[in-house]
């Protein structure tokens, strides 16, 4: 199935990440410094992932857009967070809002696609 | 519009690869937050954890005992030396008084015992942990208040406070005389028990504030006899030199 491989990869990533980050035993104060960046990267990853799936099912997936989108979004979000840290404005909220909004948009489009597919299949059965 | 049958399309592989990275990031974020929570709960103090090694602590205690013994011996020797003549005896009496004042001898007398310890958090909010923790400035405040109330000798967990005693926070521990001390803090002070306790209990004073945060954070006892240990740290003097009584006056213009 199409969905199996990404889910497996996600599970593998979580397990591996949990073990590796658990082994690192970073002091809490240091962890507090990079925690916002890590969560932003997570959000950027989620955004790119859903964007990629959406483009894939729409049949206009382009790998260069996909990869550059992930890398650049992550870097921009991190840069914004850093700048915000320097000038005392929570600029990373801008990244969170923008990326979060796109996550919901892409998710809704993916949902629509599958719902339409199911509806079409039901219609065929009915006929 | 939608492409169908995307079974072996390249995008599935790339999406899977990103899924893997995303999994790493999610796990990393979760671990990080867990780490922060754990470190935030254990103590409200900032800085890296430096636990004093048990071996070093033992060596330190041994050395301190040695120093105390040697200083005691010195006192005995001074007394023996002085026994020869009256002049020397007067000198020795003066010397012992100076040593007492500078905290180099063990002393006892009436006084108080104040026990300070961290309060128990009722919620896991960080600001509460901050208030419920005994900090270096708490000890500084108490020491100052006791001195103001006429305490003649003070020690915190066996560390005698002298004119050269720093009380400061290094990482999660408080250092007194550059020796790490940990809660509960037992503060002993020699002086008039009533005055000392009164100074600490001044309205809107230190203990009043603690009482409003968590009354279980302190215990104050007046005692008939308190034993305050001697200062066991270094007495090396590198910079200060005494100004001789017969020194020419032009070098002492700062007096006027």
């Amino acid at each position: 199935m199409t969905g199996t491989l990404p889910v497996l990869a996600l599970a593998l990533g979580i397990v591996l990440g949990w073990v590796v980050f658990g082994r690192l035993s970073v002091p809490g104060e240091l962890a507090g410094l990079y925690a916002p960046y890590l969560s932003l990267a997570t959000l950027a990853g989620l955004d790119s992932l859903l964007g990629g799936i959406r483009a894939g099912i729409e049949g206009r997936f382009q790998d260069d857009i996909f990869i550059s989108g992930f890398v650049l979004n992550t870097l921009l979000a991190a840069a914004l967070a850093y700048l915000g840290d320097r000038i005392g404005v929570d600029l990373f909220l801008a990244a969170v809002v923008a990326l979060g909004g796109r996550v919901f948009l892409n998710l809704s489009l993916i949902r629509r696609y599958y719902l339409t597919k199911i509806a079409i299949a039901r219609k065929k059965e009915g006929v | 519009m939608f492409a169908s049958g995307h079974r072996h399309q390249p995008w599935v592989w790339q999406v899977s690869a990103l899924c893997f990275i995303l999994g790493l990031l999610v796990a990393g974020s979760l671990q990080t937050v867990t780490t922060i929570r754990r470190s935030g709960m254990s103590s409200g103090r900032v800085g890296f954890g430096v636990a004093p090694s048990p071996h070093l602590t033992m060596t330190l205690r041994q050395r301190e005992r040695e120093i105390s013994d040697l200083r005691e011996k010195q006192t005995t020797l001074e007394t023996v030396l002085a026994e020869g003549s009256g002049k020397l005896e007067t000198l020795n009496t003066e010397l012992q008084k100076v040593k007492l004042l500078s905290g180099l001898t063990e002393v006892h007398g009436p006084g108080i015992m104040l026990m300070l310890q961290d309060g128990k958090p009722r919620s896991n909010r960080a600001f509460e942990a901050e208030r419920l923790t005994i900090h270096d400035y708490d000890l500084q405040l108490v020491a100052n208040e006791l001195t103001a109330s006429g305490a003649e000798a003070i020690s915190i967990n066996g560390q005698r406070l002298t004119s050269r005693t720093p009380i400061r926070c290094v990482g999660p521990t408080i250092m007194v005389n550059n020796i790490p001390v940990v809660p509960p803090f037992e503060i002993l002070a020699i002086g008039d028990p009533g005055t000392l306790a009164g100074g600490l209990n001044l309205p809107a004073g230190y203990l009043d504030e603690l009482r409003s945060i968590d009354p279980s954070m302190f215990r104050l006892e007046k005692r008939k006899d308190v034993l305050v240990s001697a200062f066991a740290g270094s007495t090396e003097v590198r910079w200060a030199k005494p100004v001789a009584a017969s020194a020419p006056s032009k070098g002492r213009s700062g007096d006027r």
Side-chain angles (χ1 to χ4, degrees):
Chain A
M1 283 300 291
T2 314
T4 328
L5 192 62
V7 170
L8 274 179
L10 185 68
L12 183 69
I14 290 178
V15 170
L16 197 70
W18 187 260
V19 172
V20 169
F21 276 89
R23 280 275 175 92
L24 281 180
S25 68
V26 194
E29 296 73 26
L30 195 63
L33 289 178
Y34 70 74
Y37 296 94
L38 203 54
S39 36
L40 260 186
T42 311
L43 193 61
L46 193 64
D47 167 59
S48 296
L49 178 69
L50 288 174
I53 293 175
R54 177 197 162 190
I57 61 182
E58 283 180 358
R60 40 188 195 82
F61 182 87
Q62 275 175 282
D63 51 2
D64 47 354
I65 293 179
F66 181 64
I67 293 164
S68 66
F70 172 61
V71 174
L72 276 181
N73 281 349
T74 312
L75 286 181
L76 181 66
L80 268 182
Y82 178 73
L83 183 68
D85 239 10
R86 290 281 120 188
I87 63 175
V89 181
D90 283 342
L91 272 184
F92 83 98
L93 281 178
V96 169
V97 170
L99 294 174
R102 288 204 346 201
V103 164
F104 280 109
L105 181 73
N106 285 330
L107 192 65
S108 76
L109 285 167
I110 294 165
R111 180 170 46 88
R112 252 163 238 229
Y113 164 73
Y114 281 108
L115 284 177
T116 318
K117 221 171 131 180
I118 291 168
I120 290 171
R122 278 210 187 130
K123 222 179 237 174
K124 271 184 190 161
E125 268 173 37
V127 170
Chain B
M1 183 186 169
F2 294 129
S4 53
H6 37 245
R7 207 176 165 159
H8 291 292
Q9 295 203 4
W11 69 269
V12 174
W13 288 101
Q14 300 195 15
V15 163
S16 300
L18 188 62
C19 268
F20 177 69
I21 296 174
L22 188 66
L24 286 177
L25 289 171
V26 168
S29 297
L30 287 174
Q31 277 282 15
T32 308
V33 171
T34 317
T35 314
I36 294 170
R37 289 250 169 82
R38 213 182 295 133
S39 73
M41 288 297 282
S42 61
S43 80
R45 296 193 183 108
V46 288
F48 295 99
V50 265
S53 92
H55 175 70
L56 272 178
T57 314
M58 237 171 66
T59 320
L60 201 71
R61 295 267 172 279
Q62 228 166 354
R63 295 272 189 283
E64 280 189 346
R65 223 174 297 131
E66 247 175 72
I67 290 170
S68 300
D69 287 351
L70 285 172
R71 286 204 177 131
E72 229 166 83
K73 239 173 240 169
Q74 193 187 352
T75 311
T76 324
L77 283 173
E78 281 160 2
T79 316
V80 168
L81 262 176
E83 266 167 1
S85 78
K87 259 186 200 168
L88 280 175
E89 207 179 318
T90 319
L91 256 177
N92 186 42
T93 316
E94 197 59 30
L95 178 65
Q96 297 315 321
K97 192 181 155 196
V98 170
K99 279 175 79 174
L100 186 147
L101 282 175
S102 53
L104 293 175
T105 50
E106 204 174 31
V107 283
H108 73 104
I112 55 120
M113 191 280 299
L114 176 67
M115 189 75 96
L116 291 177
Q117 59 186 5
D118 295 349
K120 286 177 191 64
R122 276 154 290 174
S123 67
N124 55 11
R125 273 171 294 185
F127 73 90
E128 247 215 321
E130 187 74 16
R131 275 155 59 91
L132 288 170
T133 310
I134 301 291
H135 294 273
D136 49 345
Y137 46 80
D138 291 297
L139 297 183
Q140 289 164 5
L141 226 106
V142 168
N144 199 39
E145 194 56 65
L146 286 171
T147 311
S149 308
E152 286 164 5
I154 305 170
S155 75
I156 299 175
N157 280 12
Q159 286 302 319
R160 177 74 166 269
L161 301 194
T162 72
S163 58
R164 290 176 65 190
T165 297
I167 301 176
R168 62 187 288 242
C169 173
V170 176
T173 44
I174 297 177
M175 315 273 274
V176 178
N177 282 335
N178 296 318
I179 307 284
V181 293
V182 291
F185 302 106
E186 190 195 42
I187 301 165
L188 298 170
I190 294 178
D192 178 54
T195 315
L196 293 180
L200 291 172
N201 271 317
L202 277 179
Y206 179 66
L207 290 187
D208 240 15
E209 194 198 325
L210 270 195
R211 216 170 270 127
S212 72
I213 298 170
D214 183 356
S216 71
M217 283 171 76
F218 74 93
R219 204 175 80 232
L220 179 63
E221 277 173 23
K222 289 180 199 172
R223 285 191 180 171
K224 280 198 187 111
D225 198 61
V226 177
L227 188 73
V228 174
S229 51
F231 174 69
S234 165
T235 51
E236 194 192 11
V237 179
R238 285 171 62 198
W239 304 100
K241 293 203 171 51
V243 180
S246 57
S249 57
K250 68 174 180 183
R252 303 170 64 206
S253 54
D255 274 8
R256 297 176 194 232

